[in-house]
Amino acid sequence: MNTMFLNCSKKLRKNTLLTFALLLCYSMLSNAQISVTGLVTDNTNQPLPSASIVVKGTDTGTQTDFDGKFSVEVSKGSILVISYLGFLTKEITITEAISLEILLMPDAAALDEIVVIGYGTKSKTKLISAVSTIDKKMLKKQPVANVSNALEGLASGLFVTQSSGEPGFSNSSFEVRNFGAALVIIDGAPGDLNQLDPNEIANISVLKDAAAAAVYGVQGGNGVVLITTKKGKIGKPKLSYSNQFTATTFTAYPKYLSSAERGEVLNQGLRNAGQADFYTAEQLELYENGSDPINYPNTDWRGLVLKDWGFQQQHNLNLSGGTEKVKYFVSTGYVDQGSNYNADVLSFQRYNLRSNVSAAITDELNLTLNLGARRQLNEAPAYSAYNVFRELSRSLPNDLAYYPDGTPARLSVTPNHVVEGIKDFNAGYYRAKNNNFDAKITLKWDIKQVEGLSVKSYASLVYNTNFTKNWGKSYDLFTLNRQTGNYDVFSATPEGAVSETVLTQGTSYSNHYVLQESISYERDFGDHAVSGLLLAEIQKQQGQYFNASRQDFQSTLIDQLFAGSLENQGANGGEFRQNRLGFVGRFSYDYQSKYFLESTYRYDGSSRFAPGNEWGLFPSVSLGWRLSEESFFESFKNTISNLKIRASVGTAGNDGTSSYQWLSGFNYNLFYAINDSAIPTIDNTALPNKDITWETNTTYDVGIDVDLFDRSLKFSADYFYRKREDVIAVASASVPSTLGVALAAQNFYEFSNEGFEFSFNYNKQINENLKISALLNFSKSREKAVFIDETLQEDLFMRENLTETGGFTGLRRGYISNGLFQSQEEITQYAIQDGNGNTSLQPGDIKYVDLNGDNIIDVKDQKVFGNGSKATTNYSLNLGVEYKNFALSVLLTGAAGYDIYLEGEAQSPLRNGFNGYDYQLDYWTPENTGARFPRISDGGFNDNNYKYSDFWSRNGKHIRFKNINLSYTFPKMKKNTTFDEIKFFCTGQNLFVIKDFEEDFDPQTGSGLGWYYPQTKSITFGINVSL
Amino acid sequence: MKKYTHILLLIVTFNLTLSCGDDFLNEPPLDRITENDVWNDKNLMDAYLFKIYDRMPWDYLEDFSAGGFGSHRDGLSDLARGTYSWTQLNNQFRPGNWGTANNTWPLDWWGYDIIWKINYSIENIELAPINVLTVDERNERLGELHFMRAYSYFALVKRYGGVPIILNAQNPETTTEDEYYPSRNTEKEVYDQVLSDAQAAFDLLPNRWSSQKGRAPKWAAKSLESRAALFAASIAKYGTVQLDGLVGIPNSEADAYYQLSLSASQKIISDAGYTLFNKYPNASDNYANLFLDETDDETIFSKVWIPFEKGHSYDLHNVPYSYRVDWSGSMSPTKQLLDSYEMLGTGLLPNEAGSGYDENNPFENRDPRLKGTLLTNNDIFQGLPVELWYGTEIGGVIDTNKGTGVGKDGIGIHPDATKTGFYVRKHLQDGGAPLFIKEYYSGTNCILFRLGEIYLNAAEAAIELGIEGSARDYIEPIRTRAGLQQNLRLDTYSGNELRDRIRNERKLEMAFEDHRYWDVKRWRIAAEKLSIQVEGLKTLRSIDGFGNETFTYETFNAEAEKMNFAERHYYLPIGQGRINNNNKLKENPGY
């Protein structure tokens, strides 16, 4: 505003005399009205509807219409002030009847960002709590089926982990500041953000400190992710269509051993155990050269099951617009996610529908109705991804998959045939349908009689229906009988069924009602600005489930319950419910937008706790000071346009950890057989504790927000300390093992989280054609145990705690390794490691450190090691450049401060009769003394080498090229064109990762065993069209 | 006017919000059963008792733990080795690499959680109102609970020696500090507790449960007395008192315990009305069917299993390789077991002079229980012959190719096939064709007490008391039923030789019924019997020019390392974890 105004006034000054004279003249003719018409557009030639046109110094004026046009009658010489929120205001002196074309430029400085906070919004200037917002453009650039998979790296203080790439099961977990599962609020009520189409989202705010989250009381202790969906804007209807076509492949997955490699490893293990080779050299050679593929096959099971590229598509069509009276946003979306299985048996589809309408009933009354509906369809083979990958690692390369005539062969270890089993759903299927509907209605009454006062009623219903169906059937496998020359049949039957066919079907319904009544008040009294909120909220959750199963179907063609046998049929079902009640108060005050004070209170009740313990008060207070508004700051103002420091303290709760621990009782349990019938048993629960209540989280936060260099660089940093008290836990370490019953859960553990986060956000329009941006986020947060139950043992080495008072949580405990034994002498001289004079050890075995120096390595030589499995640091860099119509952005994300632990079959080849991974070939032999892995043991197991130790721990730190996006927008064809915008883009997601360990697993691997559907990387092409 | 309606609406909703407060938050959950419900309803009470039954540590057909790959406790003894080289059984227990704290899978059982449930039930059932349980019903349930408490302490004492005896349901709010952190009782005190609970149970329980198979009758309690007293007696006789009696029982107590055991056995044999199972003309089949037919003539008490709904996986784990669904042949029986069966014609053991043992016909003319217990070469199982040869010799060339040379179940057909040359038959379901029984689909009941054991207990007690005639009286029916023909009263043996033959009889009669491991421990001969080089028998098939099949057998070392049972292994370690919780618990010697 300032610059523009200065320009105008300069002009005025130049011509002061002339103007003055003119004014004098015109004032005499002031009654003469002239007509002015005009078109107001923004810098992209978009018409601006509802821009305000006011004659300076008067009440006269008008607004632009839909198409940005206006016409107004003014007297000659009057000054028209054209303003629009977020744009620089323009003043034009009218000297004659004229048709104006007014171009308004966006005003980065004046636009005070509106941030969505709990139960309201707030301008960023006045915000004195730790809230980060997510750029929805970056969200939309990522070709993910679930919004949670696009959150990583977009906000400081948000920790996101995606541990699977399986269509329909790939949601990321996310936590605010590593606090645990955060509360997700969509348009005012708890919801699931993964069910939203990214195109529906208008805003995502992450409430990090108690000042922001305490208004959510007993549920807000772990931070809150707030999502608002899009609303219509005043203007002509705008129709947008976008699509994306994506090809996906795994980020990383190791290769399996070939027949010859496996044979050599098997022999090596037998040799090390003093036994004869299983394969002769000639046999190994036959496996190697593949000259006899029937008797010496080398089956590529992975190639038979998986393909390199899977396919995914997304479409969205939305319409938005509105008048002063009614605004609307209607959107429909579709996602279809295919898999990397060769067989077309694993997919996920989601249909989204949203209709957000708001209507001004009168000047004072406004009604908003948000409706959303979703349908999700999952289809998967009867073998889950875990099973498919387990079977892949269990299918031996020296087993034939199919005989030359195409007959599926029975395998030597597993009773299943992963290729045949998933092909055409031969082993059956898993199908799930989820229907989700939500309705939110808000009636807001601005009470004109009392300025700033409004009353709001809000009701939300979220209704969820799930339907799942598991169909299992047997399929035949064959073994060639060499004596008869015929095939012997073996039937691979479904797991957990007595018969050849089994069908389990289940439905569940749940609904969640929220009702809120609130009164809010907001008014400025000169330098003093006050606002307040009083709100009451009821939450009611109910649900029920029912499932049934039958077996022995007459025909595998009829996969319906009614066609199954009554024998061995089963049914199960139940209901649940819980209620919450809360009262919120919030009071804010500021003086000259310089000194800020805010305080919130929530009085909350939860039915999860015993009568008398269900109510609690959660207060918070925060203070802020904008130093940049002080007079002494004037001299820095050119560089630092805004400097705010803020501090807050508050408490919130967490009732999500346990329900109904105050009731003693019994639960239904497994069956016991009496007289040849199975009878369900009941088992006692832990001893009850009537006094149990929620845990309380107190968060202290100090932060600073700085805007530099004409607001092109924004910096924000927070330091926080959270104390979790009254954490519900069950004493066990100090409880004598002879007690025999689980103690009551108590509110007695204490933890603390300490950490910091900062972000730099740089945006600069270098010139007309070039714009650059950079966003750097860094977050660190780690939990410490302040008080936990520990054993009474005083000898540190003899304790068995994973976590110790004062130490970090989530660590591992085990032996500390020190490389491999290289010679028999070394073993003989070393501390006794096997309890048996080291007689069972051989060169190539792992050497452990004798921590307590007693020359015996036993449990007393264990300690906690590593960083645990949860990332404690994350960082991201988002770079963008726009040149003319091209835009390029790169998002790098990363995490550190955690470990991956290789387990089971990922440690040693041929464990449990399974195959191995190629990286395991680097094992110790007298010729390969620098090996990464110990010598091969027969059967892949050995008591020494596979003890829980840091030998199998890998540092998970990594940097990932999360997203690279290149787009081209067609130049605007001025007017009379059908399309407002046509944009083409291509995106690479998860293209590659720089990591610290050598095994070819993704650093966010979902299984230390490797039995999981790996994360995917993808290439996407897409187009956005709007008209 | 409109506005006022709106205000009114708001006020009404506000009031609703506020007024529904208390009840709204105190709606009870829908998925819990309360304490009050349980102790006032016979069926719920029984559902809780069945939970206790289910968790008792007496079953031996179930594998040690889910995913334990068929490790059964007899795989720890000299009856068999585990087939899978990666199991802890093979890596820890057999080579003796165990003993450090809490390193005791799959033997460890610190069942104080069960004992708590039992004590808690006794306390509540004693108070049960008469309209809920009749006096008889109450007594029967209390009898079951005393029986199970006796068995639980027996399970503890045979593992750890003396353990703390706790006879009430502890609660940290009411239990005194001293009881809450208890010291170990002596081994003798624990055995006496077992015997007194067994006596109490015997007095309370019914003679038989009518149509409630799976619940313990009074004779189960008497059988437990017979067994536990025998254990106490042998520990007194052969063990050493250490740690002031925390382990070991004074030598002077031995005869009294033997006498107690003998009296209990005699009472069962004379009063209980059980008879030895004898239904099939073929003695081997008769013996095998004793465990499959699930009749009540010999079985005093068994755990009932039903396929699928409450099934175990014994068949899945133990069938020969070609009958497998998944894991097969997880126990490979030892050649040493094979050598323990006497020659049918002479009544002598193969290693005794003049026994008539033929190395090239090792499975024939033997104690019929051999073929009732083991699957040997070319035995018909599930309609097909079991083929155990590792290779086929034709014209002097041995073919060990999997497709042509190796029998379908033989050593080398696959690393998962038998490691010793033969398989277990006992407890496996048979049929006309391969059954392919899946995980949790075995419904074979697990016999916990049967009359056969009682005869053996009686014979052992008698011989230890020096009453040889009586011992012969008790061993004769067992040997007769087994189908033996010679020396049925073992008249040619006396003294320690007779004792050893009675012990051998026990080993064979109750092979794979989870007795051998405990027996060699209480006789204090485990350091010798469980430190052996396990041997197997390699079968070679030869085909001559006329196509005739002949087999030759060769003994070989079937395990790379010797088994190693050290002196300290007679007791399991209490474990560092338990001492960390209560440092009044003293660790066992040698750990």
Side-chain angles (χ1 to χ4, degrees), chain A residues 36-51:
Chain A
V36 179
T37 60
L39 170 67
V40 182
T41 59
D42 66 8
N43 54 327
T44 62
N45 281 327
Q46 290 283 352
L48 292 173
S50 294

Side-chain angles (χ1 to χ4, degrees), chain B residues 203-277:
Chain B
D203 295 339
L204 291 162
L205 282 166
N207 190 46
R208 300 281 195 280
W209 282 89
S210 65
S211 65
Q212 295 244 46
K213 190 173 177 174
R215 305 184 80 154
K218 71 192 304 168
W219 300 106
K222 197 44 96 181
S223 303
L224 175 57
E225 186 183 333
S226 158
R227 191 191 288 176
L230 195 62
F231 270 62
S234 24
I235 283 159
K237 185 158 180 181
Y238 298 106
T240 323
V241 176
Q242 296 174 82
L243 303 176
D244 294 330
L246 292 188
V247 297
I249 295 174
N251 203 257
S252 56
E253 306 283 339
D255 281 2
Y257 285 122
Y258 279 126
Q259 193 56 57
L260 191 64
S261 172
L262 184 58
S263 312
S265 303
Q266 282 167 336
K267 190 167 176 64
I268 298 165
I269 292 166
S270 59
D271 296 356
Y274 297 98
T275 55
L276 291 176
F277 178 89

Side-chain angles (χ1 to χ4, degrees), chain A residues 40 349 373 664 1001:
Chain A
V40 182
Q349 277 121 25
S664 73
F1001 287 114

Side-chain angles (χ1 to χ4, degrees), chain A residues 273 394 410-411 415 443 455 457 493 496-498 517 577 579 666 669 675 683-684 733 737 793 798 912, chain B residues 6 10 18 24 26-28 33 48 51 86 110 113 117 180 213 308 324-326 438 441 560 576 580-581:
Chain A
R394 203 181 171 197
R410 185 179 177 194
L411 278 69
L443 191 61
V455 177
S457 298
T493 44
V498 78
E517 298 297 342
R577 65 177 167 210
N579 301 328
F666 293 77
N669 208 284
N675 215 33
D683 201 0
N684 57 294
S737 57
Q793 179 57 248
M798 286 163 78
N912 294 350
Chain B
H6 193 64
L10 270 178
L18 293 165
F24 184 71
N26 291 331
E27 289 182 349
I33 312 159
Y48 189 53
K51 173 90 264 170
W86 58 80
W110 191 256
D113 54 334
K117 290 182 207 298
Y180 194 62
K213 190 173 177 174
F308 174 59
R324 81 199 183 280
V325 170
D326 207 325
K438 291 183 295 177
Y441 278 95
Q576 192 59 48
N580 281 351
N581 294 332

Side-chain angles (χ1 to χ4, degrees), chain A residues 44 765 768-771 881-888 965-973 980-985:
Chain A
T44 62
Q765 186 92 38
E768 204 180 321
N769 290 330
L770 182 65
K771 189 180 164 191
V881 53
E882 286 172 35
Y883 179 72
K884 288 189 172 165
N885 297 310
F886 287 96
L888 174 70
N965 184 294
L966 177 67
S967 70
Y968 178 78
T969 310
F970 278 87
K972 187 73 61 185
M973 309 290 179
D980 278 349
E981 182 186 89
I982 302 177
K983 183 160 99 178
F984 286 103
F985 60 92

Side-chain angles (χ1 to χ4, degrees), chain B residues 567-586:
Chain B
E567 203 59 37
R568 65 176 183 172
H569 295 149
Y570 282 115
Y571 292 100
L572 290 174
I574 297 292
Q576 192 59 48
R578 292 169 192 143
I579 295 169
N580 281 351
N581 294 332
N582 174 8
N583 48 27
K584 280 154 84 182
L585 296 178
K586 221 176 238 170

